[in-house]
Each structure stands twice: as C-alpha cells, then as structure tokens.
Amino acid sequence: MGAIISYPRGGEIFGEEEATDYLYQVVTGSVRTYKVLNDGRRQIGGFYLPGDIFGLEFGDEHAFSAEPMTDTKVRVIKRRALHDLAERNPSIARELIFHTGVELRQMQKRMLLLIMSAQERVASFLLEVAERAPAQPAIDLAMSRQDIADYLGMTIETVSRTLTALEASAAIELQGSRHIVLRNRNTLNRLNG
Amino acid sequence: MGAIISYPRGGEIFGEEEATDYLYQVVTGSVRTYKVLNDGRRQIGGFYLPGDIFGLEFGDEHAFSAEPMTDTKVRVIKRRALHDLAERNPSIARELIFHTGVELRQMQKRMLLLIMSAQERVASFLLEVAERAPAQPAIDLAMSRQDIADYLGMTIETVSRTLTALEASAAIELQGSRHIVLRNRNTLNRLNG
DNA sequence: CGTGCAGTTGAGCAAATTCAACGCTTGTGG
DNA sequence: CCACAAGCGTTGAATTTGCTCAACTGCACG
C-alpha cells in the first residue's frame, strides 16, 4: 500500500502549514522533522530511519516540517484511505493506535530529557542513537551538530563542549566528528534520568 | 460506561509502576500526573480538569503517577473493555484515536515550551490556563507554585520572580497568589513561541 | 498568639549562551 | 597543483540566565 517517492538531500517532504493528507514511512535514507519558532530558533521533532513512520498527525495541518537528511525514499500513504481501512479492519486500527503510542512515549521521553542538564541530554541522545544500532559499540551520526543541538534544545557550542567533556571522562571516544565510540555505557546510563 | 470513584485530596489514583489496566476521566475536581526522576526532581505530566481523560497509555505500565489536587471524582474505564469495544465499534475507535491525538499535540506543545525562556514558559502557561476558562479576564490556579515549577521545568523561585516581573511590566496583576488578572494578553502572546 | 506552610525576595554561584577566534576539511578557480 | 574561500566543528572569554541557599512575609489554623 502506498507509492514510493524519492527525495534528494536538502529537499522538503512537507511543510508545517500543509494539510495532513498523507503520512509517510522511511524506506531508505533518513528524515528529520522540525519546527521554526517565531524568534528563528528551530526545534527538531524527531529523526526517522528506515521503517519509521512520520507525519502521523491528528490536526488538519502538520505541526512540523519534514526534510530528508540524505537522499531518501519514502512510502507515502493517504491518510483518509488508512483511516477508512482502519474502520473496517481492526488489525490496521490496532497498528495505528500502536504507532501513535510509540510517538507519544517518545515525546514523553523528550519532555523529561529537556528538563535535564546538558550532560544528561547528550548522554541520553547517544544512548538513544546506540539503541537503534545495537550491534556496534560505536555509533555513526547521520546528523550535524546543529541538528543535535536543535533536537536537545541547546546550542552547538554546548553540544561540542559536552562531547569533549564526556571524552575527557572516558565515557566516549570521538573518532571524527560523526563517529563516536561508547567506551563506558554505565557512565552514560548513570546520567540518563 | 465505567464506575465513578472518589479520591480525597492528597490520595493516589495510580502509581508509575502500576499496570495500565484502567484509564480515567475527571468528573469533578482536578488531577495532576507526574514522574519522579532518580535525582528526586519531579516532572508534572499534565493537569486534568472535568471532562479530561488521563492515564491513556500504550505500554504495560503507567509512565506517570496520578494524584487528585482537590477532592475528586473520576470515571474509571477498563482498558481491555474499551479496546475490545473499539475493535467492534468504529466510532469508539475514532474517539480513542482522537484523544490520543489531543495528548500527543499537548506533548508537542510542552516540548516547544521547555526550550523557551522562563518568561516565555510562564506566559504560555498563563495563556494555557486562561484558554480553559475563557470567559474571565482573570484566572484562578488550582495548583501550587511547586506544581507550576514542576510543570514548566523550573524552580518555584524562578516562577515567583517571573510572575513579579510580568506584573512589573503590566502584563498581569497578582491578587493573592492564586488569582491572576491578565491585563495585557498581547504582551503574553508575544512571548508565546 | 505562636507554629507551620506557601510564597516572595535577595545575594552569590553555576550552567549554558553569546560572541569571537581558530583549525580542519572540502571544493573551486587561477 | 596550489591558493583560497566556505562550511563545520572546536575552543576561549565574557555575559546572561536560572539555580541554590537563606532570610523574610503573610496567612491559616490550632
């Protein structure tokens, strides 16, 4: 169900103002959703990897914009069609509710994250990324420092300094700015509220 | 559907660890949900007034605890029964999805709130409370300064100072600590992301 | 009339932001 | 092939913001 569409890196999948006629699933690549506040600051709603669903909303307009972070293929699903299907098919309805629940819990986690200190936020972020690539002791970030900062509600300088501090305390090792080895997960976990 | 149960102020409706066997609707009174972090800090999940639904979760255990802020009557609904009903009754399913969406958008709003300054957070909070009691130019807070602080992710001192500052800038007028007259909504709105 | 609790105010401090400079990598034009 | 501009990330210094600790006020309740 749904058509596959390709988006080049730097394009736009949908904007904040657009109608919520479609929802999306990442097939390959990666996507970020974000919102620009009236003072120019940007808040990232989430990062989405293959398999993840985004743009699942319940108002008339999208609350966030969505952009591919790399060249990306997404499956596009008509919202009306899905909801109609859900009314006749309980297992689809269950899926729909399940995914909403996933999103909701993620938001709750983010909410808790945002009241914590810079160290705690960055540590949580690293663990969150690591969870999605569980095999490795190291992680590769798909996003820039600016993306991380806007995700965690802080500045790029603070992100950078915090990573340096975590390296100094032997919790992680920076091998190039986007490749990070997690040396001591206990230290990171201890920071994770 | 569902039984009505009374809880005295200061009691507990459910705890973080409890199974999500039930969900709840406020009949009279008011409820707060909260979570205590491992460092002792408390984060308020939300405040709920008559008509509001809370405890609607999708994991096995509640992510938050729930307490009445005043003597409160709630309607208790068995989650299993509701979900079973939703599978056979599309309008119930729609309701369920709708309420999840309300919760989700509220969380998104909170997320944006938490990255803003103290002034912006308090201003947003006042407007949020005012929206729920639209008739008056003034609002009566059901909750303490500590509750507000834990809702907005700041300390009681900062809440207090911020309210004083807003009064100094003629945006509000404090008539007793829980009764606040909104003198200039434009000023407040301008602060609201 | 005290005692206790909620809220306010003040002073000093810690954390994160801002502003600025610098290093490294990458891509472009001479 | 080299020079140099542009972008990203890091680091440093000064500043701002909110927190901590502490004292104080006002109010409710015995």
Side-chain angles (χ1 to χ4, degrees), chain B residues 164-184:
Chain B
T164 306
L166 287 174
E167 185 170 38
S169 66
I172 63 172
E173 192 175 314
L174 295 162
Q175 299 180 341
S177 66
R178 295 194 178 201
H179 184 81
I180 301 178
V181 184
L182 306 187
R183 284 280 175 229
N184 188 341

Side-chain angles (χ1 to χ4, degrees), chain A residues 1-192:
Chain A
M1 158 171 201
I4 307 289
I5 300 191
S6 292
Y7 291 93
R9 175 197 163 105
E12 175 175 284
I13 301 173
F14 58 79
E16 283 182 37
E17 70 292 341
E18 282 181 31
T20 48
D21 291 338
Y22 300 94
L23 56 101
Y24 306 81
Q25 183 174 35
V26 180
V27 176
T28 63
S30 52
V31 172
R32 65 173 164 245
T33 59
Y34 66 94
K35 194 176 174 71
V36 177
L37 303 185
N38 56 11
D39 64 354
R41 292 180 66 178
R42 184 183 70 155
Q43 172 66 14
I44 299 251
F47 300 114
Y48 299 88
L49 298 179
D52 292 349
I53 288 173
F54 65 97
L56 176 55
E57 298 196 34
F58 298 90
D60 291 342
E61 295 184 358
H62 280 295
F64 293 88
S65 304
E67 275 179 359
M69 294 196 286
T70 57
D71 291 348
T72 295
K73 286 197 202 327
V74 301
R75 180 188 308 281
V76 181
I77 298 156
K78 200 155 178 60
R79 187 184 168 211
R80 258 315 288 266
L82 182 69
H83 278 265
D84 287 355
L85 200 59
E87 301 228 335
R88 280 172 289 114
N89 188 334
S91 82
I92 298 281
R94 240 192 316 261
E95 274 290 294
L96 193 57
I97 288 177
F98 172 75
H99 277 289
T100 310
V102 168
E103 195 83 357
L104 188 57
R105 255 170 301 157
Q106 205 130 0
M107 281 287 166
Q108 288 173 345
K109 208 178 148 203
R110 289 286 297 291
M111 204 179 76
L112 294 175
L113 215 163
L114 289 175
I115 67 165
M116 303 198 284
S117 71
Q119 283 234 345
E120 292 169 320
R121 292 187 217 186
V122 172
S124 293
F125 172 74
L126 293 176
L127 290 170
E128 186 185 321
V129 173
E131 257 174 44
R132 309 227 34 179
Q136 299 89 334
I139 57 181
D140 283 291
L141 302 175
M143 68 291 288
S144 69
R145 290 288 186 274
Q146 187 65 61
D147 286 335
I148 299 172
D150 292 346
Y151 184 71
L152 299 178
M154 49 206 242
T155 61
I156 48 172
E157 292 96 329
T158 303
V159 172
S160 185
R161 277 187 253 269
T162 304
L163 287 171
T164 305
L166 286 174
E167 186 169 38
S169 66
I172 63 172
E173 191 175 316
L174 295 162
Q175 299 180 341
S177 66
R178 296 195 176 201
H179 184 82
I180 301 177
V181 184
L182 306 188
R183 283 281 174 229
N184 188 341
R185 295 213 186 198
N186 289 342
T187 305
L188 297 176
N189 268 313
R190 196 155 1 91
L191 291 172
N192 191 10

Side-chain angles (χ1 to χ4, degrees), chain B residues 127-183:
Chain B
L127 290 170
E128 186 185 321
V129 173
E131 257 174 44
R132 310 227 32 180
Q136 300 89 333
I139 57 181
D140 284 291
L141 302 175
M143 69 290 288
S144 69
R145 291 286 186 275
Q146 187 64 61
D147 287 335
I148 299 172
D150 291 347
Y151 184 71
L152 299 177
M154 49 207 242
T155 61
I156 47 173
E157 292 95 329
T158 302
V159 172
S160 184
R161 276 186 254 270
T162 305
L163 286 171
T164 306
L166 287 174
E167 185 170 38
S169 66
I172 63 172
E173 192 175 314
L174 295 162
Q175 299 180 341
S177 66
R178 295 194 178 201
H179 184 81
I180 301 178
V181 184
L182 306 187
R183 284 280 175 229

